[in-house]
């Protein structure tokens, strides 16, 4: 089962996303900020990371850079709201593979994840 | 009409919990932000995050109006964050208005019904603040640009100008076994964040070979100089099937064309793919598909079980939600157990006294002790279950004080302590209004305008403290200001003017008694009635509300030093400790919270003032009330030489209740007298004693008022 690490400070968003992913055959782990994500990435070695941008403690952009340092092959998809174009662009340059725009459409999340982990 | 939100009840629960937390963050942080002189970046980030998360979550559940409002807020907060706007109290006002609207929108979810709140006004305010800031055509604007340009762009020629170096690389490519391909892509119309999509696509295709050139270039894409077309020249080992394979996995690509690079193109011009006439069709299709989907979603929602309409299931709570009624009835049942516990001990006592204890009765004794212990624990636990931290109530006060002081032109530093103190939820419900009233008074009448304060040599900013704390079996809430205080002379004058006391009486009043006059109905010392207080209704209501729940109020005030209100509250409403006394062989219960002391004295110590029996206790004159007279209507005061006086105190007023004898102290369960008996003067309820007899509970405040009149 492909492992997805879900990073978002909003428990509501995590709950919703985790439900969708587990229902579609992914194993899901959750992290509530960038720092947490970096730590969990090392422990879990997920196949894909869904990364929120605006978070306390460590934001998504920093977390992408940190994870890439640990694993240059890491597959990270940014979860962005409209209006964060510049940040997403920086994240892509830092090594994130793709992005999805909130509010999430289930088909979009699934098709995006599928592209990277099958 | 329901909101048709796209979320399960569990999801909504989490959503609402988080929303409440974010509201709280916004409320607290906005006040801090306004207060702090230096721009606090961390605080600003926190505020921004709260609104940003709310936006994302509300859009996800499909609460469009909430998403719309938080989007507007975020735009303004972003400007603040980037220091393109400065924090002014007007701006904070607008933010608070937003917060109020957000709460209405949250309640829409609780009620599953759209409110009649109009967002036009507040969105307009946010818009004009935002637009007034510099750099306002930032990427926060929602509309993507390409739809304007796409028409033109498809006609334009897309050129691939190669530098000499690049031509060199190209010429050497075949030696390295690489074939050049030109790839042209057309993205979906009206794509959100087109620049990033273009960039991601470029990166993905870059991995298939060696990217020689692209139009727009990576730099241009970063600067958001994008159209909905992307042309690339790639050198690669594989053939175009590989490219097709990669492209097929990429999202948002409407059309593409791959051509081996040839001389024609070397001249610098690539054939342009036209966005085929299908554009219109495609859009129509897209619209159709979308509206089709929407219909489906709506259908699905309509089919959703009606359980979703069950509001209770949706309401937010941190843990398990229990109906208050259930808690009340549990408390009632425990009350019955408490009565039986007392009763059981009494029976056991009789048993021991009158019969020889054998194995069986000893067993019964042990079991009784155990049941008593469990009952006590059960009582404590259920009381705990009913407890809430006063925080829930206090939380709304900082905002209220801020708004009030702004309206009144005062500067107030409001400090709260002891928010974690827990109180029975029914008490919390009851004290909300009295506290609001007292805080309003403090801001409105207590604390002086800044200039007056300076003139008096006080610090410009007034102090207002709200404190909750535990004291033995009570909770004490104090409200303390360092304002102008209550002048007893002014209160006296007002009381005389309103005909509430005679001038004669006024002269005899001590300062403390005079100040206590403010609790009488109809007395207001303020010359001008303000928007919020000073209408002469209030303080009596405050006291009555507090006394209704067996609480007591005390004032301490000094002119120009300030005023302190002290509210003493019981931990629970249902079970109290009481002093049992007997009058004519009947037992009465006096709530221990109002008992100061009991005195045993001689009949001949009684003195008379205006035909009123009094005693002198430590130099203080204490009016006596003979409960026998009050409750038994019996006038024959037998001279037994000795008598027992229970000194009760409420709000600084003391009275001695004369009783036949003292029975003891006990926990009692308060029962109402029932509708068919109705209100009885001097009695507030009844309880069942250990021996099964009924005891009446003495209404101390009523008796004190009677003694005073």
């Amino acid at each position: 089962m492909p492992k997805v690490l879900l990073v978002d400070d909003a428990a509501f968003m995590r709950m919703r996303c985790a439900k969708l992913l587990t229902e579609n055959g992914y194993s899901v782990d959750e992290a509530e900020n960038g720092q947490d994500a970096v730590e969990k990435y090392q422990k879990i070695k997920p196949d894909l990371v869904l990364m929120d941008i605006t978070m306390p403690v460590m934001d998504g952009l920093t977390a992408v850079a940190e994870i890439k340092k640990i694993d240059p092959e890491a597959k990270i998809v940014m979860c962005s709201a409209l209006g964060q174009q510049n940040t997403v662009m920086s994240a892509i340059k830092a090594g994130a593979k793709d992005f999805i725009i909130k509010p999430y459409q289930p088909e979009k999340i699934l098709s995006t994840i599928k592209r990277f982990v099958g | 009409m329901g909101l048709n939100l796209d979320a399960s009840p569990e999801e909504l629960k989490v959503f609402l919990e988080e929303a409440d937390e974010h509201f709280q963050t916004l409320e607290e942080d906005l006040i801090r932000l306004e207060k702090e002189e230096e721009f606090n970046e961390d605080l600003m980030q926190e505020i921004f995050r709260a609104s940003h998360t709310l936006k994302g979550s509300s859009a996800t559940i499909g609460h469009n109006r909430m998403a719309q409002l938080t989007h507007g807020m975020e735009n303004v907060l972003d400007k603040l964050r980037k220091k393109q706007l400065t924090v002014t109290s007007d701006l904070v006002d607008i933010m608070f208005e937003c917060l109020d609207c957000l709460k209405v929108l949250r309640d829409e979810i609780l009620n599953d019904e759209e409110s009649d709140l109009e967002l036009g006004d507040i969105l307009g305010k946010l818009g004009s603040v935002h637009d007034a800031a510099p750099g306002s055509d930032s990427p926060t604007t929602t509309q993507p640009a390409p739809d304007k340009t796409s028409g033109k762009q498809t006609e334009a020629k897309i050129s691939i100008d190669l530098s000499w170096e690049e031509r060199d690389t190209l010429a050497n490519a075949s030696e390295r076994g690489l074939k050049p391909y030109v790839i042209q892509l057309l993205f979906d119309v009206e794509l959100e964040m087109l620049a990033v999509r273009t960039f991601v696509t470029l990166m993905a295709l870059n991995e298939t070979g060696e990217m020689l050139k692209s139009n727009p270039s990576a730099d241009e894409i970063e600067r958001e100089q994008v159209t909905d077309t992307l042309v690339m020249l790639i050198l690669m080992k594989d053939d175009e099937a590989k490219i097709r394979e990669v492209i097929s996995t990429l999202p948002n690509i409407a059309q593409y064309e791959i051509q081996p690079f040839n001389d024609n193109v070397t001249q610098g011009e690539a054939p342009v793919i036209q966005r085929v006439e299908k554009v219109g069709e495609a859009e129509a299709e897209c619209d159709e598909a979308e509206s089709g989907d929407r219909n489906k979603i709506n259908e699905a929602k309509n089919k959703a079980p009606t359980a979703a309409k069950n509001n209770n299931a949706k309401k937010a709570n941190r843990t398990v939600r229990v109906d208050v009624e259930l808690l009340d009835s549990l408390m009632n049942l425990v009350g019955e157990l408490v009565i039986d516990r007392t009763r059981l001990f009494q029976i056991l006592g009789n048993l021991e006294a009158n019969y020889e204890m054998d194995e069986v009765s000893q067993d019964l004794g042990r079991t009784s002790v155990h049941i008593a212990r469990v009952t006590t624990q059960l009582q404590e636990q259920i009381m705990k279950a009913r407890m809430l931290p006063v925080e829930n109530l206090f939380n709304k006060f900082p905002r209220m004080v801020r708004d009030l002081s702004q309206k009144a032109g005062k500067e107030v530093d409001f400090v709260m302590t002891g928010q974690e103190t827990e109180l029975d939820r029914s008490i919390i419900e009851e004290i909300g209004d009295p506290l609001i009233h007292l805080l309003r008074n403090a801001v409105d009448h207590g604390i002086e305008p800044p200039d007056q304060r300076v003139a008096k040599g006080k610090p410009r900013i007034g102090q207002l403290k709200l404190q909750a704390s535990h004291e033995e079996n009570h909770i004490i809430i104090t409200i303390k200001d360092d304002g102008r205080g209550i002048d007893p002379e002014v209160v006296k004058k007002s009381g005389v003017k309103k005909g509430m006391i005679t001038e004669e009486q006024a002269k005899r009043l001590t300062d403390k008694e005079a100040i206590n006059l403010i609790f009488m109905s109809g007395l207001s010392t303020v010359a001008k009635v303000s928007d919020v207080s000073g209408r002469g209704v209030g303080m009596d209501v405050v006291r009555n509300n507090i006394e209704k729940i067996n609480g007591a109020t005390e004032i301490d005030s000094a002119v120009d030093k300030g005023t302190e209100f002290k509210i003493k509250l019981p931990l629970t409403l249902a079970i109290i400790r009481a002093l049992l006394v007997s009058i004519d062989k009947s037992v009465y219960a006096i709530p221990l919270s109002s008992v100061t002391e009991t005195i045993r004295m001689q009949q001949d110590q009684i003195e008379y003032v205006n035909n009123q029996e009094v005693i002198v206790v430590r130099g203080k004159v204490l009016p006596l009330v003979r409960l026998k007279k009050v409750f038994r209507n019996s006038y024959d005061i037998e001279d037994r030489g000795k008598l027992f006086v229970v000194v009760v105190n409420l709000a600084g007023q003391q009275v001695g209740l004369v009783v036949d004898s003292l029975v003891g102290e006990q926990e009692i369960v308060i029962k109402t007298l029932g509708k068919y008996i109705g209100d009885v003067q001097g009695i507030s309820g009844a309880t069942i004693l250990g021996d099964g007899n009924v005891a009446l509970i003495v209404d101390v405040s009523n008796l004190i008022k009677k003694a005073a009149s």
Side-chain angles (χ1 to χ4, degrees):
Chain A
M1 221 196 302
K3 283 184 285 186
V4 177
L5 178 62
L6 206 57
V7 192
D8 199 311
D9 57 328
F12 166 72
M13 296 301 266
R14 290 202 305 269
M15 179 184 188
R16 201 175 166 98
C17 219
K19 191 174 154 226
L20 176 75
L21 296 186
T22 26
E23 278 170 4
N24 284 279
Y26 295 97
S27 126
V28 179
D29 286 285
E30 297 178 21
E32 56 184 46
N33 60 51
Q35 178 98 50
D36 195 14
V38 175
E39 280 158 23
K40 292 215 167 106
Y41 188 90
Q42 285 166 289
K43 231 182 277 165
I44 301 160
K45 294 277 176 223
D47 300 294
L48 183 85
V49 183
L50 283 182
M51 179 80 73
D52 185 30
I53 292 175
T54 318
M55 289 181 289
V57 189
M58 184 195 282
D59 66 17
L61 189 55
T62 320
V64 169
E66 290 294 316
I67 291 177
K68 278 282 170 180
K69 261 189 234 163
I70 301 164
D71 177 7
E73 297 297 304
K75 290 175 186 159
I76 307 172
V77 171
M78 306 306 290
C79 303
S80 140
L82 279 177
Q84 292 182 308
Q85 179 141 322
N86 296 336
T87 322
V88 179
M89 191 78 91
S90 314
I92 304 285
K93 276 166 72 186
K97 293 278 182 200
D98 204 341
F99 65 98
I100 24 186
I101 300 171
K102 291 183 196 175
Y104 304 134
Q105 287 161 292
E107 324 81 64
K108 282 231 173 103
I109 304 188
L110 292 175
S111 68
T112 307
I113 296 178
K114 215 170 168 188
R115 248 190 11 254
F116 293 104
V117 295
Chain B
M1 206 196 95
L3 290 177
N4 270 338
L5 296 178
D6 177 20
S8 67
E10 291 78 36
E11 286 172 341
L12 280 181
K13 209 174 98 178
V14 177
F15 172 84
L16 288 168
E17 269 174 31
E18 283 199 323
D20 283 343
E21 275 170 34
H22 293 311
F23 292 165
Q24 194 54 40
T25 308
L26 284 173
E27 191 156 321
E28 284 169 10
D29 288 357
L30 282 170
I31 289 176
R32 271 180 64 197
L33 190 72
E34 189 183 23
K35 227 185 245 173
E36 287 187 15
E37 280 169 23
E38 288 205 5
F39 183 77
N40 182 335
E41 207 152 312
D42 290 344
L43 200 61
M44 195 58 236
Q45 285 291 1
E46 208 172 285
I47 296 174
F48 180 83
R49 262 204 311 273
S51 124
H52 179 79
T53 308
L54 275 171
K55 180 180 90 167
S57 299
S58 55
T60 301
I61 59 166
H63 198 328
N64 295 334
R65 302 214 299 161
M66 194 184 266
Q68 208 182 349
L69 180 57
T70 41
H71 180 71
M73 288 170 73
E74 189 187 307
N75 283 348
V76 172
L77 291 170
D78 191 47
K79 294 275 158 199
L80 278 172
R81 188 170 67 148
K82 291 178 179 149
K83 299 186 186 168
Q84 288 164 340
L85 277 173
T86 47
V87 182
T88 61
S89 69
D90 282 347
L91 207 152
V92 174
D93 277 341
I94 294 179
M95 282 297 152
F96 274 131
E97 204 181 322
C98 290
L99 193 57
D100 291 338
C101 291
L102 281 177
K103 286 177 183 166
V104 174
L105 294 174
R106 173 211 45 204
D107 291 347
E108 286 184 355
I109 301 177
L110 293 174
N111 305 327
D112 194 23
E113 194 170 21
E114 193 156 307
S115 66
D116 48 11
L117 176 75
E118 288 288 343
L119 290 178
D121 184 40
I122 185 71
L123 287 176
K125 281 185 197 169
L126 285 172
S128 53
V129 171
H130 175 258
D131 293 344
S136 281
D137 41 74
S138 67
T140 41
T141 38
T142 41
Q143 278 307 310
D147 51 345
K148 286 178 224 152
T149 49
S150 60
K152 281 182 213 158
Q153 202 55 52
T154 43
E155 285 159 33
K157 301 219 161 167
I158 293 159
S159 60
I160 300 182
D161 291 327
L162 298 178
S163 67
W164 285 111
E165 273 170 64
E166 283 159 349
R167 279 173 197 278
D168 237 27
T169 321
L170 191 61
N172 295 333
S174 56
E175 286 169 27
R176 289 157 60 208
L178 299 171
K179 284 172 281 181
Y181 286 97
V182 175
I183 309 167
Q184 294 181 64
L185 300 166
L186 200 57
F187 289 105
D188 287 339
V189 279
E190 295 191 20
L191 195 59
E192 287 162 337
M193 293 172 68
L194 180 65
V196 193
R197 180 49 63 207
T198 312
F199 197 79
V200 169
T201 310
L202 187 71
M203 288 298 157
L205 284 167
N206 194 19
E207 284 172 16
T208 62
E210 199 175 308
M211 180 85 53
L212 197 58
K213 183 90 183 177
S214 73
N215 185 2
S217 70
D219 282 352
E220 285 167 333
I221 299 173
E222 265 186 63
R223 289 197 300 272
E224 291 178 43
Q225 294 167 345
V226 288
T227 67
D228 52 358
T229 336
L230 175 64
V231 183
M232 287 159 285
L233 178 54
I234 289 186
L235 303 175
M236 56 188 290
K237 274 201 184 86
D238 311 286
D239 58 4
E240 53 177 89
K242 169 75 184 171
I243 306 176
R244 282 183 205 285
E245 194 192 314
V246 173
I247 292 180
S248 70
T249 65
L250 295 173
N252 305 115
I253 293 169
Q255 285 172 284
Y256 67 91
E257 232 179 270
I258 306 166
Q259 292 177 317
F261 191 72
N262 58 37
D263 283 351
N264 179 24
V265 192
T266 328
Q267 295 315 307
E269 279 176 20
V272 173
I273 23 164
Q274 302 280 331
R275 190 183 283 282
V276 257
E277 316 72 58
K278 272 193 246 155
V279 170
E281 258 175 67
E283 266 178 307
E285 251 171 55
C286 173
D287 278 357
E288 211 177 273
E290 223 182 280
S291 61
D293 275 350
R294 271 200 205 115
N295 284 342
K296 256 184 245 158
I297 290 167
N298 282 343
E299 256 171 55
K301 272 178 197 154
N302 291 341
K303 274 186 218 151
T306 41
K309 290 203 172 133
N310 186 352
N311 290 342
N312 288 345
K314 287 187 177 182
K315 288 189 181 166
N317 204 314
R318 229 157 273 273
T319 42
V320 185
R321 195 165 185 88
V322 180
D323 200 316
V324 184
E325 270 174 41
L326 178 63
L327 280 179
D328 285 345
S329 86
L330 272 177
M331 195 67 196
N332 243 325
L333 290 173
V334 168
E336 297 292 330
L337 269 181
V338 170
I339 291 168
D340 285 339
R341 172 186 63 191
T342 322
R343 213 147 142 48
L344 208 53
F345 274 124
Q346 201 139 357
I347 294 170
L348 212 60
N350 287 342
L351 206 64
E352 269 172 21
N354 301 325
Y355 305 93
E356 202 178 314
M357 296 294 277
D358 58 8
E359 191 96 341
V360 178
S361 48
Q362 271 171 6
D363 238 11
L364 180 67
R366 276 195 292 274
T367 316
S368 305
V369 171
H370 187 245
I371 284 188
R373 200 161 54 220
V374 173
T375 306
T376 310
Q377 281 169 0
L378 190 63
Q379 181 192 344
E380 279 168 6
Q381 295 302 318
I382 288 181
M383 265 171 70
K384 236 184 229 163
R386 295 174 53 88
M387 298 290 222
L388 283 177
V390 284
E391 197 178 0
N392 297 359
L393 175 67
F394 279 18
N395 275 344
K396 60 181 177 186
F397 292 149
R399 160 86 189 279
M400 190 191 87
V401 170
R402 173 203 174 263
D403 286 355
L404 283 172
S405 45
Q406 230 177 22
K407 222 183 240 175
K410 311 277 175 80
E411 286 177 32
V412 181
D413 183 20
F414 181 54
V415 183
M416 300 193 298
T417 49
Q419 290 102 309
E420 70 289 343
T421 314
E422 291 192 323
L423 258 178
D424 190 291
R425 56 161 300 131
S426 46
I427 296 181
I428 289 194
E429 276 162 23
E430 294 290 333
I431 56 163
D433 287 344
L435 287 184
I436 288 174
H437 197 92
L438 293 175
L439 287 171
R440 277 183 174 173
N441 273 344
V443 174
D444 231 35
H445 310 314
I447 291 169
E448 311 90 331
D451 295 342
Q452 265 186 43
R453 290 181 62 90
V454 172
K456 283 180 184 172
K458 290 176 167 184
R460 193 176 164 81
I461 299 175
Q463 291 283 327
L464 180 57
K465 277 186 194 141
L466 176 64
Q467 186 184 19
S469 60
H470 222 106
E471 207 171 89
E472 288 167 14
N473 259 330
H474 297 274
I475 297 294
I476 309 284
I477 296 180
T478 50
I479 295 176
K480 190 176 179 182
D481 68 62
D482 66 346
R484 56 169 73 94
I486 300 168
D487 187 342
E489 292 311 314
V490 176
V491 181
K492 279 188 210 169
K493 255 184 226 154
S494 176
V496 173
K497 209 170 101 195
K498 299 236 165 77
M500 290 151 73
I501 47 168
T502 61
E503 232 162 297
E504 180 83 6
Q505 281 173 315
K507 264 180 215 150
R508 275 190 287 118
L509 288 176
T510 63
D511 282 357
K512 192 153 187 157
E513 284 166 338
I515 290 172
N516 268 300
L517 280 178
I518 65 164
F519 285 119
M520 285 172 78
S521 154
L523 187 125
S524 174
T525 59
V526 189
K528 231 179 12 189
V529 169
S530 87
D531 194 17
V532 283
S533 45
R535 293 177 203 277
V537 263
M539 289 313 286
D540 59 323
V541 178
V542 167
R543 170 169 282 187
N544 285 343
N545 279 352
I546 290 168
E547 280 174 4
K548 207 168 73 192
I549 50 174
N550 278 316
T553 18
E554 255 177 61
I555 327 181
D556 197 6
S557 185
V559 176
D560 283 343
K561 290 264 164 57
T563 306
E564 177 177 346
F565 284 91
K566 205 172 183 183
I567 301 171
K568 195 171 166 190
L569 297 165
L571 285 177
T572 169
L573 293 185
I575 298 174
I576 58 166
R577 289 201 74 77
L579 178 70
L580 301 182
V581 299
S582 79
I583 300 154
D584 263 1
K585 284 173 197 147
S586 303
V587 177
Y588 290 78
I590 304 173
L592 212 56
S593 57
S594 46
V595 174
T596 329
E597 61 180 324
T598 54
I599 304 168
R600 204 168 159 186
M601 58 190 337
Q602 301 297 321
Q603 177 77 30
D604 55 19
Q605 282 178 277
I606 294 181
E607 288 170 47
Y608 291 85
V609 175
N610 289 343
N611 264 338
Q612 158 83 56
E613 288 184 305
V614 299
I615 49 167
V616 180
V617 183
R618 292 184 287 273
K620 218 178 158 240
V621 178
L622 201 66
L624 289 182
V625 174
R626 288 189 183 258
L627 289 188
K628 196 181 260 179
K629 214 169 176 180
V630 178
F631 295 135
R632 294 272 147 179
N633 218 2
S634 93
Y635 288 90
D636 60 318
I637 297 155
E638 49 186 302
D639 187 359
R640 291 192 304 172
K642 266 189 297 187
L643 46 93
F644 291 96
V645 176
V646 178
V647 182
V648 289
N649 176 338
L650 255 191
Q653 277 177 297
Q654 287 199 335
V655 168
L657 304 178
V658 183
V659 299
D660 287 353
S661 66
L662 304 176
V663 178
E665 203 185 296
Q666 196 188 304
E667 212 149 58
I668 60 163
V669 181
I670 301 176
K671 304 268 174 196
T672 55
L673 288 177
K675 276 192 207 123
Y676 39 89
I677 299 179
D679 270 356
V680 179
Q681 288 278 312
I683 299 292
S684 64
T687 186
I688 301 166
L689 297 173
D691 57 5
N693 282 326
V694 171
L696 295 173
I697 302 169
V698 176
D699 182 351
V700 174
S701 68
N702 183 290
L703 287 181
I704 288 185
K705 269 178 208 151
K706 230 182 188 170
S709 59

